[in-house]
Amino acid sequence: QSGAAALLLTGTAASLLSPPAGAAAGIILLSSFEWLRAATAARVDMTLTFGLTLVFVGLLLVRRSPRGPWLLLCYAGAAWATLAKGIPGLAIPALAVALLCLLDRSLQPLRALRPLRGLAVVGLLAGAWYAAAAAEGGRAFIDIVARENLVRIVGARQASLGHEHGLGYL
């Protein structure tokens, strides 16, 4: 997924800016210490990153050309990111869109995304997987999902998950 995200970034930068800019973007990303560290660790961070890359490339392309398949890229990326990390997979793109609206001083970025349709698509894609996993894993799966997402709301100490980092760590 880290390679796919780098290729997506490279291709997007090459098509929107120039091939040398795309190559530079890809090389810089692939030679970044944190990118390499996260890509080789057995965690879901790069899965989340790939989903967010799909969302952000889709957002960029929707802003440039509202008519096209770019909304599906946004929706698929948000579903992917939500499956990878839960609430942050949907919250991070939502915060990005809110920032775009503030910068534009308009709700147009939000309207262009057709948020109700997007939430329905993300809900169907992620919800289908969660429903199947809950049917297979039962109460144990539901407890894990609740605790993993609860930690993002109430903090690690209250949820006893061991992810004890201050806000500055993030």
Side-chain angles (χ1 to χ4, degrees), residues 2-161:
S2 61
L7 284 174
L8 183 59
L9 170 72
T10 300
T12 302
S15 68
L16 295 179
L17 302 172
S18 70
I27 290 168
I28 290 167
L29 180 62
L30 289 172
S31 62
S32 160
F33 169 78
E34 186 59 27
W35 186 267
L36 291 171
R37 188 200 60 75
T40 57
R43 302 193 46 92
V44 297
D45 295 342
M46 290 313 278
T47 304
L48 171 67
T49 300
F50 177 67
L52 293 176
T53 302
L54 291 173
V55 170
F56 295 140
V57 166
L59 280 172
L60 175 66
L61 296 173
V62 164
R63 284 178 66 85
R64 293 180 60 91
S65 174
R67 298 181 193 265
W70 313 127
L71 283 176
L72 290 177
L73 192 63
C74 289
Y75 302 159
W80 187 286
T82 301
L83 285 171
K85 204 79 164 177
I87 293 169
L90 200 54
I92 293 169
L95 289 172
V97 172
L99 181 61
L100 285 174
C101 289
L102 282 173
L103 291 173
D104 287 358
R105 296 180 187 197
S106 165
L107 292 177
Q108 183 53 34
L110 179 63
R111 282 190 213 108
L113 292 174
R114 299 185 184 122
L116 294 179
R117 180 185 298 173
L119 287 173
V121 171
V122 171
L124 283 173
L125 292 173
W129 184 89
Y130 276 108
E136 179 70 25
R139 182 73 186 165
F141 172 77
I142 293 169
D143 288 345
I144 289 170
V145 170
R147 284 190 331 198
E148 283 291 324
N149 286 286
L150 184 63
V151 74
R152 286 154 177 76
I153 297 169
V154 300
R157 292 191 182 154
Q158 290 84 349
S160 302
L161 292 176

